[in-house]
Amino acid sequence: MADKLSFKQRLLGLQGNLFNFACQLTSNRDAAQDLVQDTTLKVLDNEAKYVDNVNFKGWVFTIMRNIFINNYRRQVRSATVIDTTEDLYHLNLSQESGLDSPEGSFAAKEISIAINSFTDEYKVPFTMYVAGYKYSEIAEKMNLPLGTVKSRIFFARKRLQSILKDYR
């Protein structure tokens, strides 16, 4: 009984430190309070798994960090769009092309002109990359080494940035 009381007292004594660490992780006071609460519950549920010769504070902070990472991964997974339509209709829709405004269509025209000014050795791999091809697919289709494809795309991107530096 004295060990259980000591365990709970040590956990209560860490609440301020846990809240500070949670604030660093979440950058949000409400989310930090939720994280501290989740951590406290998880620690209490796993009290039997704690070994006395283990650093208690480190053990509790590791639990908090793992909860935070798992919650973050869960949020990322739930935000991922999975298109199950037969022709990938939803993925092929432009989300916000920016072409609705005259400035957007002008910028798109300027980008096209800039890309078309490249020689084919840079234009072809760059446009394929922008179209969604993977480096390995581009290398295979162009019968080039993977490193060559990567460097050509890199140099095309740098050249495009320098040509369009006024749009940044």
Side-chain angles (χ1 to χ4, degrees):
M1 184 75 180
D3 286 340
K4 288 186 186 261
L5 190 60
S6 172
F7 184 89
K8 290 176 184 172
Q9 285 175 337
R10 287 191 285 177
L11 182 58
L12 286 173
L14 286 177
Q15 294 298 301
N17 295 18
L18 287 172
F19 181 72
N20 290 336
F21 184 54
C23 285
Q24 288 177 341
L25 291 174
T26 63
S27 300
N28 179 325
R29 187 172 183 80
D30 293 333
Q33 289 173 336
D34 290 342
L35 184 57
V36 170
Q37 185 177 19
D38 291 345
T39 303
T40 303
L41 289 173
K42 184 91 165 187
V43 168
L44 290 172
D45 286 344
N46 291 297
E47 181 178 353
K49 294 179 183 177
Y50 176 71
V51 181
D52 276 335
N53 62 355
V54 174
N55 177 2
F56 182 75
K57 186 175 180 180
W59 182 69
V60 174
F61 276 69
T62 301
I63 290 173
M64 176 178 275
R65 189 191 71 220
N66 290 343
I67 290 171
F68 174 76
I69 291 170
N70 290 340
N71 289 344
Y72 175 78
R73 287 180 179 157
R74 191 175 300 117
Q75 287 174 346
V76 169
R77 256 194 320 267
S78 68
T80 302
V81 175
I82 300 174
D83 188 0
T84 56
T85 58
E86 187 174 322
D87 60 353
L88 300 177
Y89 174 77
H90 296 294
L91 289 179
N92 292 325
L93 288 176
S94 68
Q95 297 302 318
E96 249 188 69
S97 65
L99 298 178
D100 295 336
S101 68
E103 297 85 11
S105 62
F106 179 73
K109 189 183 295 184
E110 290 292 315
I111 293 170
S112 293
I113 290 169
I115 292 172
N116 288 330
S117 72
F118 296 172
T119 60
D120 281 348
E121 69 178 341
Y122 292 102
K123 179 172 48 175
V124 173
F126 184 75
T127 53
M128 287 177 74
Y129 180 74
V130 170
Y133 287 89
K134 295 179 178 155
Y135 289 124
S136 58
E137 294 171 330
I138 298 168
E140 186 179 314
K141 288 192 186 292
M142 294 187 70
N143 198 22
L144 291 171
L146 184 64
T148 303
V149 169
K150 288 181 177 183
S151 67
R152 287 183 182 176
I153 292 169
F154 172 80
F155 287 119
R157 186 182 302 127
K158 288 296 178 190
R159 183 171 175 207
L160 189 61
Q161 286 174 347
S162 114
I163 292 171
L164 301 173
K165 65 181 173 274
D166 295 335
Y167 288 101
R168 284 192 208 180

